[in-house]
């Protein structure tokens, strides 16, 4: 809710979610005592809550056009979770934050670093929503670097991923298709 509120410009909602997440990160909502398994789950849950505080901050900064502040918030995310959680949860995998990090790096002109994050958005099952936009950015980065062949490949991948795009994305898909053809 916090990142959604931030993306929609609902600062009050984002601030409320941040406060709730801070309380959860401190363990205020945690059950007292319990077996070791409960302690591990509680530790992981609190770590996620702490990470999500920074995620909300990053999305708020991005909405405000502050790429450096976005990156600073994202760099505080630890992302420490067991692999079974990271592989099976968009929250524990921080897929939206990984994409946002790439966008912030790109906005700051740090394209080589951004490209590594964009390219990494193909490894997890929750990355699918970001594959086409990441391929578009990789195409733009390659094109700016003068690598027309690589740019064409990325644009072609984006066009293929968006081949059945919703109407509002069709102009972007068409742009990707044209760019792919130009680079070949």
């Amino acid at each position: 809710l916090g990142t959604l509120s931030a993306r929609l410009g609902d600062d009050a909602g984002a601030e409320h979610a941040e406060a709730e997440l801070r309380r959860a990160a401190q363990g205020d909502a945690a059950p007292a005592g319990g077996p070791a398994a409960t302690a591990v789950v509680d530790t992981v849950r609190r770590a996620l809550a702490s990470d999500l505080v920074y995620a909300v901050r990053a999305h708020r900064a991005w909405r405000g056009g502050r790429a450096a502040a976005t990156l600073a918030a994202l760099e505080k995310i630890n992302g420490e979770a067991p692999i079974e959680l990271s592989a099976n949860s968009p929250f524990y995998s921080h897929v939206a934050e990984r994409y946002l990090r790439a966008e912030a790096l790109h906005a700051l002109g740090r394209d080589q670093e951004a490209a590594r994050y964009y390219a990494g958005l193909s490894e997890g099952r929750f990355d699918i929503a970001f594959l086409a936009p990441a391929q578009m950015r990789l195409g733009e980065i390659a094109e700016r670097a003068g690598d027309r062949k690589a740019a064409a490949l990325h644009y072609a991948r984006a066009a293929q991923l968006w081949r059945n795009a919703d109407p509002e994305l069709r102009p972007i898909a068409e742009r990707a298709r044209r760019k792919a053809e130009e680079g070949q």
Side-chain angles (χ1 to χ4, degrees):
L1 287 174
T3 57
L4 179 60
S5 294
R7 292 178 70 181
L8 293 173
D10 175 9
D11 287 333
E15 288 171 9
H16 176 74
E18 260 190 67
E20 291 293 317
L21 287 164
R22 275 193 303 278
R23 278 193 288 283
Q26 294 167 356
D28 291 354
T38 301
V40 170
V41 168
D42 185 53
T43 300
V44 171
R45 181 190 58 76
R46 283 186 282 141
L48 176 62
S50 178
D51 284 349
L52 292 178
V53 167
Y54 296 117
V56 173
R57 287 180 189 166
H59 284 278
R60 290 179 72 197
W62 185 251
R63 178 101 163 64
R66 300 182 335 262
T70 300
L71 187 58
L74 292 169
E75 287 173 341
K76 293 179 180 176
I77 293 175
N78 289 321
E80 295 177 6
I83 188 69
E84 58 272 6
L85 290 176
S86 293
N88 293 300
S89 166
F91 301 105
Y92 284 100
S93 71
H94 294 290
V95 64
E97 290 75 36
R98 289 185 288 129
Y99 181 78
L100 185 57
R101 181 183 291 236
E103 288 286 276
L105 287 164
H106 177 66
L108 293 168
R110 295 165 57 180
D111 281 348
Q112 288 184 347
E113 291 172 82
R116 287 193 298 270
Y117 278 93
Y118 289 125
L121 289 164
S122 63
E123 299 168 0
R125 71 170 75 167
F126 300 102
D127 296 0
I128 194 164
F130 299 94
L131 291 179
Q135 288 299 315
M136 282 296 288
R137 283 288 195 234
L138 286 166
E140 293 168 3
I141 290 169
E143 188 174 25
R144 188 172 21 239
D147 190 344
R148 291 176 52 100
K149 184 176 180 179
L153 288 172
H154 290 298
Y155 288 134
R157 286 184 193 136
Q160 175 63 23
L161 288 164
W162 271 327
R163 69 188 174 282
N164 297 317
D166 290 338
E168 59 270 12
L169 294 175
R170 288 186 189 143
I172 301 169
E174 180 57 26
R175 178 176 170 264
R177 188 192 59 72
R178 280 194 317 274
K179 289 289 213 170
E181 289 175 358
E182 290 170 10
Q184 294 177 350

